[in-house]
């Protein structure tokens, strides 16, 4: 098959300003320089005329670039900010939700070169970069309409912010899927894959990793794997169904993020021969508490700044505690936060009660008990969003209460937690450690995607 193109949603604003750094073609003419497009009663205003859609195509696809001004990155995260970003490929402008959407149309391999550089430092080891190239390509092509149906991931998942209302009014489950985008394939932020064009220069080692794995994807049972990944699993892999729809994937199942074999001798470790790779039953509340309160060995249990800098960009390094962490709230802070984030007035918060945990100890059901209202919420991202001004590092936490009044109202809540992100699939920090310890990219991939295969889709 031929290398596909991908449509990436970059910018969503009433007005978009950009600079065509080289000649671009549109409507049979060549233009360059600064341009301004504005939303105008359901259409696009550009150069005094109205359009339904605009497509600016490079004269030389390999080298021509454009720059988008004031792109928001880290949407809803603690490091959210704006920056100017530069891209290869075409720029498409459409109307969507009473705003304009700026879309970059680019070849998959060029897209991946940027994703690898945006998701982690270009100084990462070659094997880590190769592993990330394969999972990023897999994740993308699993939802790309141009891929043969026999290899596509069959996604029947609900759209973004899909609700799963249970039979009781006291329980509400919600999860957030990647297939919320209907006018483009993926967005450029952490909701999908972090993509910042050629804003950050790619090194030769990134290009080498992309070239060495060109066209390679992970597959399972004849389908491209839904290759999820997160920053730090916290020592244990989460399973897909506890974060998204109730459809387990055989390659995304529980395991400890621990040595599975010696990369030189290929000897299995004792831990790998035990069910779940020696992982305790973290769906059990007592086991989960013991796990979270301790710091068991794991690939991702590292404070090595040199290794962490391979995975974490400058703004990610603003987060220093991720394998194990603490978050404290006063009663006033927590009750106000939950009201603001959920829109539900619970009154004063009496308790946060764990109801159900996944295989990594991450909560996917949490009961919020208030003086005015009690409600069980989930899944994991909804819990993290409700309990933080942006996103709580993970939902693998236990709850401590202090300064409890005679009426049973805590004055302070202490959340002690593990990991950063949902914990499903590849653990970026763990994979970085594996790369440093001599594991090859295929061994890294098959550690995190259990029983999967690596196949080549195109040359």
């Amino acid at each position: 098959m031929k290398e596909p193109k991908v449509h990436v949603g970059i910018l969503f604003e009433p007005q978009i300003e950009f600079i065509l750094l080289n000649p671009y073609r549109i409507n049979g003419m060549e233009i360059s320089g600064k341009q301004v497009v504005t939303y105008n009663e359901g259409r696009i205003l550009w150069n005094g005329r109205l359009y339904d859609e605009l497509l600016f195509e490079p004269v030389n696809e390999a080298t021509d670039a454009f720059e988008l001004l004031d792109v928001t990155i880290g949407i809803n995260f603690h490091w959210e900010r704006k920056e100017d970003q530069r891209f290869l490929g075409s720029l498409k402008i459409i109307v969507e939700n009473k705003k304009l959407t700026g879309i970059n149309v680019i070849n998959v391999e060029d897209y991946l070169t940027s994703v690898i550089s945006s998701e982690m430092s270009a100084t990462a080891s070659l094997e880590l970069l190769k592993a990330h190239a394969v999972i990023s390509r897999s994740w993308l092509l699993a939802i790309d309409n141009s891929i043969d149906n026999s290899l596509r991931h069959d996604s029947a998942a609900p759209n973004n912010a899909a609700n799963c209302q249970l039979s009781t009014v006291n329980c509400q489950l919600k999860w957030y899927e990647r297939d919320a985008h209907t006018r483009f394939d993926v967005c450029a932020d952490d909701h999908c894959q972090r993509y910042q064009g050629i804003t950050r220069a790619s090194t030769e080692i990134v290009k080498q990793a992309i070239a060495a794995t060109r066209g390679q994807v992970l597959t399972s049972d004849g389908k491209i794997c839904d290759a999820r990944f997160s920053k730090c699993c916290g020592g244990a892999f989460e399973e897909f169904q506890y974060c998204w729809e109730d459809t387990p994937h055989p390659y995304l199942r529980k395991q400890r993020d621990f040595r599975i074999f010696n990369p030189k001798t290929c000897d299995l470790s004792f831990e790998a021969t035990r069910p779940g790779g020696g992982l305790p039953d973290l769906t059990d509340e007592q086991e989960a508490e013991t796990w979270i309160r301790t710091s068991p060995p794991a690939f991702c249990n590292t404070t090595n700044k040199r290794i962490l800098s391979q995975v974490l960009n400058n703004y990610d390094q603003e987060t220093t505690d991720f394998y194990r962490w603490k978050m404290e709230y006063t009663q006033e802070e927590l009750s106000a936060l939950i009201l603001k984030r959920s829109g539900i007035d619970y009154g004063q918060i009496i308790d946060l009660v764990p109801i159900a945990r996944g295989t990594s100890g991450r909560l996917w059901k949490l009961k919020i008990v208030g003086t005015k209202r009690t409600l069980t919420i989930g899944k994991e991202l909804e819990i993290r969003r409700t309990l933080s001004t942006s996103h709580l590092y993970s939902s693998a936490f236990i709850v401590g209460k202090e300064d409890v009044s005679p009426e049973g109202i805590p004055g302070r809540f202490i959340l002690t937690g593990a990991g950063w992100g949902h914990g499903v699939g590849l653990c970026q920090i763990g994979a970085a450690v594996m790369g440093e310890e001599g594991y090859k990219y295929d061994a890294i991939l098959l550690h995190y995607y259990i029983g999967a295969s690596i196949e080549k889709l195109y040359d």
Side-chain angles (χ1 to χ4, degrees), residues 54-72:
L54 292 171
L55 179 63
F56 300 88
E57 298 180 290
V59 174
N60 187 327
E61 189 175 49
T63 60
D64 291 351
F66 62 91
E67 189 169 283
L68 285 173
L69 307 183
D70 289 334
V71 178
T72 302

Side-chain angles (χ1 to χ4, degrees), residues 116-316:
I116 304 308
S117 300
S118 301
E119 280 285 349
M120 62 184 65
S121 169
T123 62
S125 70
L126 177 60
E127 297 306 310
L128 171 61
L129 293 171
K130 287 160 68 173
H132 219 295
V134 174
I135 65 170
S136 293
R137 188 182 294 110
S138 302
W139 186 91
L140 175 69
L141 297 184
I143 58 168
D144 192 289
N145 290 330
S146 64
I147 299 301
D148 188 295
N149 286 333
S150 66
L151 281 174
R152 286 191 63 219
H153 166 59
D154 183 17
S155 176
N159 286 337
N160 185 41
N163 284 301
C164 179
Q165 299 283 354
L166 301 188
S167 58
T168 170
V169 296
N170 292 321
C171 186
Q172 177 176 293
L173 297 186
K174 182 186 291 186
W175 60 91
Y176 297 79
E177 258 298 356
R178 64 182 185 176
D179 57 356
H181 312 304
T182 58
R183 302 286 299 281
F184 50 89
D185 299 318
V186 290
C187 69
D189 212 60
D190 292 70
H191 173 263
C192 290
Q193 293 190 118
R194 192 179 294 175
Y195 171 69
Q196 296 164 359
I198 55 174
T199 308
R200 289 164 182 80
S202 296
T203 63
E204 286 305 313
I205 193 172
V206 170
K207 296 175 183 176
Q208 183 182 347
I210 299 297
T213 63
R214 180 179 173 85
Q216 291 183 14
V217 295
L218 285 163
T219 65
S220 177
D221 296 328
K223 298 177 182 178
I224 301 176
C225 291
D226 189 346
R228 307 284 168 129
F229 58 92
S230 64
K231 282 287 185 292
C232 175
C233 68
F237 303 172
E238 191 50 83
E239 295 189 351
F240 180 91
Q241 66 270 23
Y242 297 114
C243 298
W244 298 284
E245 63 175 324
D246 190 17
T247 306
H249 295 316
Y251 50 89
L252 296 175
R253 62 178 186 263
K254 77 171 185 177
Q255 180 171 286
R256 187 168 174 179
D257 189 28
F258 204 59
R259 285 164 180 76
I260 46 173
F261 61 86
N262 185 304
K264 296 179 180 178
T265 67
C266 292
D267 291 334
L268 288 172
S269 71
F270 171 70
E271 291 292 341
T273 64
R274 299 170 63 187
L279 188 66
D281 179 9
L282 301 182
T283 65
D284 177 81
E285 194 60 33
Q286 187 57 55
E287 292 277 16
E289 179 167 353
T290 300
W291 176 264
I292 292 170
R293 287 198 183 279
T294 56
S295 185
F299 283 120
C300 58
N301 186 358
T302 182
T303 57
N304 186 313
K305 292 183 178 180
R306 184 179 58 80
I307 294 177
L308 294 177
S309 68
Q310 296 180 21
V311 177
L312 307 180
N313 282 311
N314 290 336
Y315 40 79
D316 283 332

Side-chain angles (χ1 to χ4, degrees), residues 89-110:
S90 301
L91 173 62
K92 186 177 183 180
I93 308 291
I94 64 172
V95 176
E96 196 175 35
N97 299 323
K98 296 184 178 180
K99 290 184 179 180
L100 300 183
T101 296
I103 300 170
N104 184 201
V105 184
I106 190 167
N107 290 324
V108 164
E109 299 298 314
D110 289 333

